[in-house]
């Protein structure tokens, strides 16, 4: 399983979000978006939960 956390680039934010200076973190699993979070900490926590669930099978 491949889980990646990265900051969403401004091209994929609405004009309003860019104007507010919003930062959004995406969680990608096996090439598909599985979560959107307002902080990197929350995105990393979700990534860890996905990885732990995979290990438990």
């Amino acid at each position: 399983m491949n889980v990646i956390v990265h900051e969403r680039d401004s091209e994929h934010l609405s004009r309003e979000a860019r104007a507010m200076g919003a930062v959004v973190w995406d969680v990608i699993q096996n090439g598909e978006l599985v979560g959107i979070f307002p902080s990197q900490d929350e995105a990393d926590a979700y990534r860890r939960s996905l990885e732990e669930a995979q290990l438990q099978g």
Side-chain angles (χ1 to χ4, degrees):
M1 173 174 66
N2 186 14
V3 181
I4 300 168
V5 173
H6 70 83
E7 185 177 347
R8 182 173 286 200
D9 62 28
S10 63
E11 292 179 15
H12 291 98
L13 293 175
S14 68
R15 287 187 308 259
E16 294 83 2
R18 284 191 300 252
M20 292 185 319
V23 176
V24 178
W25 294 87
D26 294 337
V27 178
I28 310 291
Q29 180 181 16
N30 297 327
E32 294 188 31
L33 179 66
V34 295
I36 301 170
F37 297 89
S39 74
Q40 186 176 11
D41 288 340
E42 290 177 78
D44 283 331
Y46 185 62
R47 176 190 50 81
R48 285 190 299 275
S49 71
L50 289 174
E51 291 171 343
E52 289 172 7
Q54 179 67 24
L55 291 175
Q56 294 175 1

